[in-house]
Amino acid sequence: MKCGIVVFPGSNCDHDCYHILKHILQLDTHWIWHKDEALNSFDFIVLPGGFSYGDYLRPGAIARFSPIMKSVIAYANQGGRVLGICNGFQILVESGLLPGVLMDNAGQRFICKDLTLRVENNDTPFTALCEPGTVLKIPINHGQGRYFTDDDTLKRLQDNGQIVFRYCDTEGNTSDEANPNGSLDHIAGVVNATKNVMGMMPHPERCADPLWPNVDGQMIFKSLIESSLAHS
Amino acid sequence: MTTLIPITPEIVAEHGLSPDEYARIQELLKRDPNLVELGIFSAMWSEHCSYKSSRPHLKTLPTEGPRVIQGPGENAGVVDIGDGLAAVFKIESHNHPSFIEPYQGAATGVGGIMRDIFTMGARPIASLNSLRFGAPEHEKTCYLLNGVVKGIADYGNCMGVPTVGGDIYFDACYNGNILVNAFCLGLAKADRIFLGSASGVGNALLYVGSKTGRDGIHGASMASAEFDDATEEKRPTVQVGDPFTEKLLLEACLEIMKKDWVVGVQDMGAAGLSSSSFEMAERAGMGMELDLDAVPRREEGMNAYELMLSESQERMLFVVAKGHEPEALDIFRKWDLDVAVIGRVTDDGIFRAKESGVEVVNLPIETVVTGALKCDRPTQKPAYLAEVGTLDLASREVPADCGGALKQLLASPTIASKQFVYEQYDHMVRLNTLVLPGSDAAVLRVPETNKALALSVDCNPRYGYLDPYRGAQIAVAEACRNVVCAGAEPIGVTNCLNFGNPENPEIMWQFQEAVRGLGDLCRFLDIPVVSGNVSLYNETKGEAIYPTPTIAVVGLMEDRSLHCTQGFKQAGQVIGLLGSTLEELGGSEYQKLFWNECRGQPPQLDSQVEFDVHRLCLDLIRQRLILSAHDCSEGGLAVALVESCITGPKALGAAIELNGDPRADALLFGESQSRIVISFAEEALHGIESRAKKAGVPFAVLGLTGGQEFQVKINRKEFINENILTLEDIWKNSLSRYGNRVA
Amino acid sequence: MLAKIHVTLKNGVLDSQGKAVHHALNDLGYSEVQDVHLGKYMEIALKGISEKEAQTRVKEMCEKLLANTVIESYRFTLEPAE
Amino acid sequence: MLAKIHVTLKNGVLDSQGKAVHHALNDLGYSEVQDVHLGKYMEIALKGISEKEAQTRVKEMCEKLLANTVIESYRFTLEPAE
Ligand SMILES: Nc1ncnc2c1ncn2[C@@H]1O[C@H](COP(=O)(O)OP(=O)(O)O)[C@@H](O)[C@H]1O
Ligand SMILES: [Mg+2]
């Protein structure tokens, strides 16, 4: 299985994703430099977290015009699997591959901490190995993660099962207290209509190395691997 | 043109140079300097760059040891950690800028220390920060706290370097002078350390990073002049940081440093292009030739004076072997950085700079770098010590409600959890953080080995006020103890010495005593001081801060699986104490909070006892006999116990029985040193007892974990009985309640 | 030529930053403050194009990059450079 | 009354955002872009005070909270509310 990690100037979770995919999950993992234009044949690609272009103007706004993004968009439009984590999610919404926007956290502060998410839909390549309703413990690390979209889009996301994760408490209940950033409808991750592009604010790569007790993040990468195997 | 302006005594004074110093310049040069040259002298001879007051004292510190690869004198210290790897670390102050502009001041402080680390060829893997603010009720404190924390967060987070710990104190002595000390640790191959040295005639000088602007011109001189009301009015230009550019600079530097044609490198910190170029040439005993027209600049019309002295951030000076310029330029351009060849290394020991073809600087390098008048500043024991040295406990009552007193202590922002702060920092990026902030020391794994490093930073300024010698010793002891509680062996110290105006003999005495204390204990514990920084003139209108010798310690653990944390793990386990409790309340947080005073003697420190406690604690962790270890510090035993109750996997109560002679408040809240709270399974008791006995360390069983109450009896009488969840709420949320209030 | 661009949140999009500033101002004692909205202001210096071209080009820049039209609206004016 | 406030970086202060946007616009083919500066724009609705009072109060708000006067300058206008 072959996968790629796109490196934008300012990406900083690229190494972490690489470590998990290459050393923990033993995939044939490649770097993709943002100035490259062509994209090789990958089973999936990851847009990692960080501060591409310093998050200047709006997070993801400048990165979406990197030379590589044309190919990423084409790849996604042909059904290629793309996982955007945190800043990667922000780039995906800015580029129009995913609906909505990610705004300043309601509390106006950056937040780095462990929290819990509920899997809302397991009928995606990113969550195939989870039971619906599963509660995953995965850390967040962002200043701009408040998901927002207009009412029509929200309705569409709800109706099509495009909301993949919601913030919840440890028992799996959603509430304003369990929502760290004021996201609309407690949204922590969404997929596109064809379910091959997913963005999520929490960082699964931060809880996927068995050196730490929590490896909930592996569920997402392993789902991707499994469904890619089935796919090919 | 700047070179034609005649130098008047006013201009000399404006540059912070004394008439004596100016006379020395004239004597050394055998002529008058021009304005650009005067600016260079002023910056290089400022306290900040020349260490003229502190150097004679710093020389007394122990800086050697079998692991030391590079001691003080370079951008950062380097310690061998085996497996071909080295830990590179340093702490540095950004106090004055952070008071004027907390966000940018703190941010650029973080940027500066990270550059110090990666200039050595190391990848930064963790940061700490040590912060001192004024009294919580002071009108500026909350604003400064929020600004500083956001500045550190935004810079560090963007860099992708985890901020894994720190410490924060609040005291009125910092009302007019806050402290922002930033620490960074990097990892490098032990045989690929880069130094700031410009050797090789004809080698090229490369300017890399951001363009030069008119930032912080005379910043270095500003950092060496006492504050007064006018300083704040004038609002001097502060530097503004660009972490995105620094991230690119970091990656580009680490890429280029794989090449064998990189000769030397130094970052442009205080005094910018001047200090970096002069110091690099001086270390190699060479000369330099610069063409200022080639320096990338942000604004038109910048003159030689500004280009030489600007403190624009995110800039470095590289020396690369002649002929390799094109390859070097390619690498930096790949990372979209501004880069230019601005000069060459020469062999005559002279620094020459040209502007539009005209020579505007011609200075002998050694004279500038090492010629500052050494000040052997007079010292005098401060008069206040006689007044505050005594404490009559008999006239101060033990509180009727010790549970209430405990709650007040837990709510004090100095003691309350710093979660509000460290949650704003990315403390996990790069997947090395084994122990996250919130325990005594952060623990980071060393990738590709079985090892881990533990980090802690400490300094209680009240102890330093009452006795600077012992205050410094305790800072070392506590930082080491924190690292030991995590299961690591201290291997290196870095320090940031924050003091008032050294021209005042009483301040100079404090300084001298603190350095002596620091040196004595490091020598005793056999831990080298490998880097450091001095920040003087921390005073406003004659009010100096308390002596604050901030100490950061790096500890090494051969087997990372043997790391230990401070929280109790489950109910039904035994709680014990290593070390003994004396009747000591001088300088304590309890004393400040309840009697509103800071007087008496700080806690005693017996070096041998401290050492023995470290040995024993490490032994118990390595034998897997104990399940938690937590250092007793501010707030004393009661606070340490509550913290251990709260910071485990889930909050647990405890039933504690204390026995002994000291009065109840001293037993509960006194800050006696060399104490560690441990917990263990009952079966381990025997083993622990016998090992403690052999080590000659006092050991007592205090009680058991479990239940919902935190209960303390002293000589069988109940003094505290509080719901642990109530205590948890107070401790966990007090600082965020404080920080989130507006105005 | 100088383009002066204002980018503001569309109606109905929660302005959490504005809200925070609003609270802060009220807490500071500015009880006369009824509402606060935060936006961006940009100045772009342009060279070598006519005003008519600039009109089209700046609009394009806004649509493409400067504003996120899902939540933001923009307006701009063009002025001769000083 | 409506206060319209512009907060911009002082001359000579590094505008890292402006720099990044400038590059991005050039890369997108807008070679006519010579310089970009980013600032903040705020609208504050005020009630129950005279224009004269507002003048003083808004200035105060800018100094205290809205602008960081070490590195930013501000200007504002007052308009009757719509
Ligand atoms: N400024 C800070 N930044 C990050 N973490 C901090 C900061 N201040 C304190 N902490 C963390 O909070 C915990 C408690 O700190 P402190 O009370 O100083 O501990 P101790 O008294 O044991 O030295 C530590 O894990 C420390 O790293
Ligand atoms: Mg401490």
Side-chain angles (χ1 to χ4, degrees):
Chain A
M1 180 128 332
K2 188 172 159 196
C3 62
I5 297 166
V6 184
V7 184
F8 298 97
S11 292
N12 65 30
C13 301
D14 47 348
H15 280 87
D16 301 354
C17 289
Y18 187 88
H19 170 69
I20 298 302
L21 294 171
K22 171 103 177 173
H23 302 126
I24 305 298
L25 300 169
Q26 310 274 323
L27 302 187
D28 178 16
T29 309
H30 296 256
W31 298 112
I32 306 169
W33 182 239
H34 70 109
K35 285 183 186 170
D36 292 348
E37 293 185 3
L39 205 53
N40 295 323
S41 54
F42 289 111
D43 290 290
F44 64 89
I45 61 175
V46 178
L47 272 52
F51 290 73
S52 57
Y53 294 92
D55 274 2
Y56 295 144
L57 192 64
R58 297 180 307 275
I62 299 180
R64 67 156 289 202
F65 291 109
S66 279
I68 193 64
M69 281 307 290
K70 272 207 184 95
S71 305
V72 171
I73 291 169
Y75 175 81
N77 287 338
Q78 285 155 24
R81 283 164 192 173
V82 182
L83 169 61
I85 300 169
C86 198
N87 193 232
F89 186 11
Q90 293 163 336
I91 297 170
L92 290 175
V93 296
E94 280 286 342
S95 67
L97 282 173
L98 288 174
V101 290
L102 291 153
M103 304 177 67
D104 281 354
N105 291 350
Q108 303 294 309
R109 290 185 204 276
F110 191 95
I111 312 170
C112 174
K113 67 169 180 196
D114 265 335
L115 48 66
T116 38
L117 326 172
R118 191 172 72 200
V119 178
E120 304 292 23
N121 183 354
N122 69 343
D123 185 18
T124 80
F126 307 91
T127 48
L129 296 179
C130 309
E131 295 297 322
T134 305
V135 175
L136 300 175
K137 187 169 141 197
I138 300 186
I140 56 163
N141 182 65
H142 61 250
Q144 281 130 329
R146 181 162 69 94
Y147 188 82
F148 180 82
T149 190
D150 59 51
D151 292 346
D152 293 346
T153 313
L154 178 63
K155 176 108 192 358
R156 209 172 65 232
L157 293 176
Q158 290 164 340
D159 293 349
N160 293 346
Q162 285 176 252
I163 300 169
V164 187
F165 300 115
R166 284 198 172 91
Y167 300 109
C168 64
D169 63 21
T170 47
E171 257 74 65
N173 305 305
T174 56
S175 67
D176 288 347
E177 290 73 58
N179 182 339
N181 54 24
S183 276
L184 186 69
D185 200 19
H186 311 299
I187 290 174
V190 297
V191 278
N192 63 349
T194 46
K195 300 195 167 64
N196 60 315
V197 178
M198 180 173 85
M200 63 189 296
M201 287 314 294
H203 284 262
E205 82 282 10
R206 292 189 175 190
C207 48
D209 182 332
L211 189 59
W212 284 264
N214 174 20
V215 290
D216 282 2
Q218 284 194 357
M219 293 303 277
I220 289 155
F221 298 112
K222 285 187 173 162
S223 295
L224 248 178
I225 295 170
E226 193 96 334
S227 54
S228 298
L229 280 176
H231 190 79
S232 57
Chain B
M1 209 162 36
T2 44
T3 44
L4 300 178
I5 297 169
I7 307 298
T8 62
E10 291 73 42
I11 291 183
V12 172
E14 245 172 64
H15 279 79
L17 290 161
S18 69
D20 283 355
E21 285 174 316
Y22 188 64
R24 177 154 169 96
I25 293 172
Q26 289 171 310
E27 176 199 316
L28 288 168
L29 295 184
K30 307 200 170 53
R31 63 174 168 88
D32 286 355
N34 65 36
L35 189 65
V36 185
E37 294 170 334
L38 185 76
I40 293 173
F41 272 109
S42 143
M44 299 291 294
W45 287 11
S46 69
E47 190 63 58
H48 196 86
C49 289
S50 74
Y51 284 79
K52 58 190 167 193
S53 306
S54 55
R55 185 155 289 164
H57 298 280
L58 298 178
K59 277 206 184 114
T60 64
L61 294 173
T63 59
E64 278 162 26
R67 290 186 184 276
V68 178
I69 296 177
Q70 176 66 55
E74 277 285 342
N75 289 309
V78 184
V79 175
D80 195 326
I81 58 167
D83 290 325
L85 295 172
V88 179
F89 54 93
K90 186 177 184 215
I91 187 166
E92 206 165 73
S93 67
H94 230 211
N95 303 337
H96 296 89
S98 301
F99 184 74
I100 295 168
E101 213 306 270
Y103 178 85
Q104 294 293 348
T108 50
V110 171
I113 191 66
M114 286 188 186
R115 277 196 303 285
D116 276 336
I117 302 309
F118 66 81
T119 359
M120 303 288 293
R123 176 173 285 281
I125 64 156
S127 295
L128 305 174
N129 57 96
S130 176
L131 313 177
R132 300 290 178 272
F133 298 101
E137 58 280 2
H138 187 266
E139 52 172 15
K140 284 191 107 173
T141 300
C142 186
Y143 156 79
L144 290 167
L145 168 72
N146 278 311
V148 164
V149 169
K150 189 164 168 45
I152 293 171
D154 283 359
Y155 208 103
N157 296 353
C158 185
M159 286 297 289
V161 176
T163 305
V164 298
D167 74 336
I168 307 183
Y169 279 77
F170 296 82
D171 191 288
C173 74
Y174 303 108
N175 282 352
N177 286 82
I178 63 169
L179 303 183
V180 174
N181 292 178
F183 165 99
C184 188
L185 166 81
L187 286 178
K189 293 222 164 73
D191 58 358
R192 292 292 290 166
I193 302 294
F194 286 81
L195 301 181
S197 172
S199 54
V201 178
N203 283 342
L205 234 56
L206 247 70
Y207 170 112
V208 186
S210 290
K211 294 184 166 71
T212 299
R214 292 189 169 102
D215 306 72
I217 303 231
H218 266 173
S221 314
M222 174 184 88
S224 306
E226 206 177 303
F227 267 41
D228 54 32
D229 278 339
T231 321
E232 215 184 331
E233 277 307 291
K234 246 193 296 168
R235 299 230 140 131
T237 16
V238 293
Q239 305 106 293
V240 173
D242 178 0
F244 172 56
T245 298
E246 176 131 319
K247 167 75 173 154
L248 301 181
L249 193 56
L250 160 67
E251 298 301 337
C253 285
L254 294 182
E255 182 173 333
I256 205 166
M257 283 164 164
K258 294 191 180 126
K259 311 290 179 192
D260 54 13
W261 38 259
V262 175
V263 175
V265 48
Q266 178 150 339
D267 87 288
M268 296 190 215
L273 188 52
S274 296
S275 63
S276 51
S277 53
F278 274 82
E279 287 173 12
M280 282 183 85
E282 195 271 337
R283 288 198 195 102
M286 301 302 276
M288 242 177 220
E289 226 172 46
L290 252 68
D291 177 8
L292 292 177
D293 299 339
V295 173
R297 65 200 69 197
R298 219 159 64 215
E299 289 172 65
E300 279 165 36
M302 291 187 64
N303 59 39
Y305 184 93
E306 293 167 321
L307 292 169
M308 285 305 296
L309 294 168
S310 158
E311 295 195 345
S312 287
Q313 298 288 301
E314 292 92 23
R315 301 178 303 158
M316 309 260 245
L317 198 61
F318 270 83
V319 176
V320 302
K322 194 172 161 182
H324 293 277
E325 297 88 339
E327 291 159 82
L329 295 176
D330 276 353
I331 291 180
F332 289 120
R333 285 189 185 131
K334 169 184 158 194
W335 290 98
D336 299 323
L337 292 162
D338 274 298
V339 53
V341 176
I342 60 165
R344 300 264 156 209
V345 177
T346 61
D347 62 358
D348 59 1
I350 304 286
F351 182 96
R352 296 186 182 81
K354 280 193 205 154
E355 183 185 36
S356 316
V358 178
E359 190 167 280
V360 288
V361 183
N362 183 323
L363 292 173
I365 286 168
E366 208 197 324
T367 304
V368 175
V369 177
T370 62
L373 280 178
K374 296 281 171 302
C375 325
D376 194 2
R377 301 219 188 256
T379 61
Q380 189 189 333
K381 186 167 179 176
Y384 76 84
L385 284 175
E387 282 161 48
V388 303
T390 55
L391 172 62
D392 173 22
L393 280 181
S395 61
R396 288 161 180 82
E397 277 176 27
V398 176
D401 174 12
C402 284
L406 173 61
K407 287 190 205 162
Q408 276 193 59
L409 275 167
L410 291 172
S412 147
T414 292
I415 287 181
S417 164
K418 306 301 182 290
Q419 186 174 345
F420 165 71
V421 170
Y422 60 69
E423 248 178 36
Q424 298 181 54
Y425 304 149
D426 183 349
H427 45 259
M428 306 178 185
V429 64
R430 296 201 79 79
L431 304 184
N432 296 322
T433 323
L434 286 173
V435 175
L436 307 182
S439 200
D440 278 323
V443 177
L444 291 130
R445 68 163 166 180
V446 178
E448 287 160 46
T449 71
N450 262 328
K451 297 185 163 126
L453 295 168
L455 309 175
S456 176
V457 60
D458 241 293
C459 180
N460 182 321
R462 291 190 191 129
Y463 303 163
Y465 172 70
L466 297 176
D467 180 348
Y469 177 83
R470 200 182 301 159
Q473 286 203 313
I474 292 178
V476 174
E478 196 186 325
C480 289
R481 210 182 306 134
N482 284 335
V483 156
V484 162
C485 285
E489 171 116 27
I491 58 166
V493 160
T494 179
N495 67 97
C496 189
L497 304 171
N498 307 274
F499 288 79
N501 183 346
E503 294 155 40
N504 173 347
E506 297 196 340
I507 300 282
M508 209 50 218
W509 185 86
Q510 292 178 331
F511 183 83
Q512 164 195 301
E513 286 300 289
V515 174
R516 204 165 61 79
L518 161 61
D520 282 354
L521 192 60
C522 286
R523 243 183 311 273
F524 188 89
L525 300 174
D526 200 14
I527 309 171
V529 177
V530 296
S531 55
N533 175 245
V534 176
S535 169
L536 300 173
Y537 297 95
N538 290 290
E539 58 182 81
T540 300
K541 291 181 245 165
E543 283 285 318
I545 60 163
Y546 288 173
T548 315
T550 306
I551 307 295
V553 168
V554 175
L556 177 66
M557 187 177 322
E558 292 292 335
D559 176 355
R560 67 182 175 218
S561 74
L562 286 169
H563 66 261
C564 185
T565 52
Q566 70 179 34
F568 295 147
K569 303 298 179 288
Q570 43 175 289
Q573 285 169 341
V574 186
I575 302 168
L577 179 69
L578 309 181
S580 39
T581 306
L582 311 175
E583 193 164 276
E584 297 177 308
L585 289 167
S588 65
E589 181 70 14
Y590 168 78
Q591 180 188 43
K592 181 74 197 174
L593 220 54
F594 291 89
W595 305 329
N596 193 27
E597 61 185 5
C598 175
R599 60 181 303 127
Q601 292 300 311
Q604 293 180 26
L605 187 85
D606 181 321
S607 310
Q608 187 63 48
V609 171
E610 184 71 40
F611 181 78
D612 293 341
V613 166
H614 294 185
R615 290 295 106 199
L616 175 62
C617 183
L618 282 176
D619 180 39
L620 298 178
I621 292 172
R622 287 173 188 161
Q623 299 303 321
R624 297 186 196 268
L625 284 170
I626 56 175
L627 301 161
S628 71
H630 185 26
D631 151 49
C632 283
S633 60
E634 290 75 25
L637 184 56
V639 165
L641 285 164
V642 171
E643 287 173 347
S644 286
C645 285
I646 297 169
T647 52
K650 81 179 222 284
L652 291 168
I656 304 291
E657 300 218 17
L658 304 179
N659 296 296
D661 303 330
R663 42 189 275 165
D665 50 358
L667 274 178
L668 292 168
F669 310 125
E671 300 177 1
S672 287
Q673 293 300 302
S674 317
R675 292 183 301 165
I676 296 177
V677 170
I678 57 175
S679 70
F680 48 90
E682 213 183 326
E683 308 85 80
L685 178 59
H686 239 65
I688 296 172
E689 255 169 355
S690 64
R691 280 163 194 272
K693 201 160 173 200
K694 220 166 97 200
V697 172
F699 163 68
V701 169
L702 302 184
L704 284 176
T705 63
Q708 288 298 300
E709 310 313 314
F710 179 74
Q711 213 180 56
V712 183
K713 291 185 184 157
I714 299 178
N715 301 327
R716 298 220 187 78
K717 183 169 166 243
E718 183 169 280
F719 274 75
I720 296 175
N721 190 344
E722 300 286 338
N723 184 286
I724 194 67
L725 297 178
T726 311
L727 300 181
E728 180 182 32
D729 175 64
I730 295 173
W731 185 73
K732 277 209 169 147
N733 299 316
S734 287
L735 192 61
S736 82
R737 283 180 199 127
Y738 176 74
N740 278 318
R741 66 173 205 179
V742 194
Chain C
M1 204 151 4
L2 191 67
K4 296 186 167 178
I5 308 172
H6 288 83
V7 176
T8 48
L9 284 175
K10 285 182 178 166
N11 268 340
V13 179
L14 175 70
D15 180 0
S16 60
Q17 227 189 328
K19 213 170 89 180
V21 173
H22 184 171
H23 274 188
L25 286 171
N26 285 163
D27 283 355
L28 281 171
Y30 298 103
S31 53
E32 68 269 33
V33 172
Q34 298 297 303
D35 207 1
V36 177
H37 285 285
L38 254 70
K40 288 183 197 131
Y41 172 67
M42 307 177 207
E43 289 186 355
I44 301 193
L46 302 167
K47 204 167 126 181
I49 56 169
S50 70
E51 186 171 336
K52 209 176 136 209
E53 282 172 314
Q55 199 72 35
T56 331
R57 306 272 287 179
V58 172
K59 183 162 191 283
E60 229 179 76
M61 295 180 210
C62 289
E63 296 272 341
K64 259 198 184 162
L65 179 70
L66 304 178
N68 180 336
T69 51
V70 179
I71 45 165
E72 293 171 330
S73 45
Y74 62 88
R75 61 194 156 82
F76 63 90
T77 56
L78 293 171
E79 290 175 20
E82 287 127 50
Chain D
M1 204 153 4
L2 192 67
K4 295 184 168 179
I5 307 172
H6 288 83
V7 177
T8 49
L9 284 174
K10 284 185 179 167
N11 265 341
V13 176
L14 172 70
D15 182 358
S16 45
Q17 291 214 62
K19 196 171 89 178
V21 172
H22 184 175
H23 275 190
L25 286 172
N26 285 163
D27 284 352
L28 279 172
Y30 298 104
S31 54
E32 68 269 32
V33 172
Q34 297 296 303
D35 206 1
V36 178
H37 285 285
L38 253 71
K40 285 181 220 140
Y41 172 67
M42 306 175 210
E43 289 186 355
I44 301 193
L46 303 167
K47 207 166 121 181
I49 55 169
S50 70
E51 185 170 335
K52 206 174 139 212
E53 281 171 316
Q55 200 73 34
T56 331
R57 304 273 286 179
V58 173
K59 181 163 190 282
E60 230 179 76
M61 294 180 210
C62 289
E63 297 272 342
K64 266 200 187 155
L65 184 74
L66 306 177
N68 175 350
T69 50
V70 182
I71 50 174
E72 293 172 332
S73 41
Y74 62 89
R75 60 194 156 83
F76 63 89
T77 56
L78 293 170
E79 291 175 19
E82 287 128 48

